[in-house]
Amino acid sequence: MNKLLVVVDYQKDFVSGALGFAGAQALEQPILLRVRKTLDEGGKVLFTRDTHTADYLSTREGKFLPVPHCIEGTPGWHLEGQLAAYEGGVPGTALLDKPTFGAANIADAVRGLCGGEPDEIELCGVVTSICVVSNAVLLHSSFLNARITLLASLSAAPDPADQAAAERLLRGMGYGIEP
């Protein structure tokens, strides 16, 4: 079985920085344990990083969400806490920088990391109702036969109602939801 874990945007600015929130802060250790478990079982791990430039506020997204965050090269752009160790090229892992909510090239990154199409994809990270959902839809569109599951306890949105709505949306589209 070709298994993939996608950790979406678990970066300093979403955890302890400009857009940080308590629900994200509580996820570091559980996500770290899931990353280690996946790698120990022979799976692969893809980390996405929200990646913006200094002109972020003049972009469409910047006008929608006018809080500078994840500016490439700044401390807030890096993965949070112990997960930052995976930015150094750990075998079985890859990084994917994306300029907006969903990574248009996520399918190519997955195929490159997995050596083909994965049979099973698990997603976790932040913000569930924006970037996690966006990448889940892109993955479903590219890997029609893969089982795709949201790890709900390893994902968060600042507003619990948004988290619940994202879980309902994904469940309604046929994704697995692991509590």
Side-chain angles (χ1 to χ4, degrees), residues 46-140:
L46 178 65
F47 295 92
T48 70
R49 287 189 300 199
D50 202 34
T51 303
H52 300 296
T53 55
D55 68 344
Y56 171 75
L57 290 175
S58 68
T59 67
R60 185 187 65 77
E61 181 181 324
K63 291 173 184 165
F64 166 73
L65 180 62
V67 178
H69 65 281
C70 300
I71 306 298
E72 187 170 10
T74 65
W77 174 67
H78 291 283
L79 296 178
E80 173 71 16
Q82 294 181 61
L83 292 167
Y86 293 96
E87 290 181 318
V90 174
T93 71
L95 295 168
L96 177 59
D97 295 337
K98 57 185 191 57
T100 191
F101 305 142
N105 58 339
I106 196 167
D108 291 336
V110 167
R111 286 185 187 98
L113 178 60
C114 294
E117 302 218 354
D119 301 306
E120 182 178 347
I121 302 170
E122 296 179 331
L123 290 111
C124 65
V126 295
V127 166
T128 312
S129 55
I130 302 172
C131 294
V132 176
V133 164
S134 296
N135 286 288
V137 170
L138 289 166
L139 288 164
H140 172 77

Side-chain angles (χ1 to χ4, degrees), residues 4-77:
L4 173 69
L5 172 65
V6 179
V7 180
V8 178
D9 298 358
Y10 200 74
Q11 296 164 264
K12 291 180 189 251
D13 270 348
F14 287 119
V15 179
S16 58
L19 295 171
F21 60 102
Q25 293 167 9
L27 297 177
E28 181 183 350
Q29 286 305 308
I31 289 176
L32 180 63
L33 291 173
R34 191 59 163 240
V35 166
R36 289 177 177 163
K37 178 180 185 277
T38 299
L39 293 171
D40 287 347
E41 293 174 350
K44 307 292 185 191
V45 180
L46 178 65
F47 295 92
T48 70
R49 287 189 300 199
D50 202 34
T51 303
H52 300 296
T53 55
D55 68 344
Y56 171 75
L57 290 175
S58 68
T59 67
R60 185 187 65 77
E61 181 181 324
K63 291 173 184 165
F64 166 73
L65 180 62
V67 178
H69 65 281
C70 300
I71 306 298
E72 187 170 10
T74 65
W77 174 67

Side-chain angles (χ1 to χ4, degrees), residues 153-170:
S153 66
L154 302 183
S155 304
D159 182 339
D162 289 344
Q163 176 73 21
E167 291 176 26
R168 277 192 309 277
L169 175 71
L170 290 173

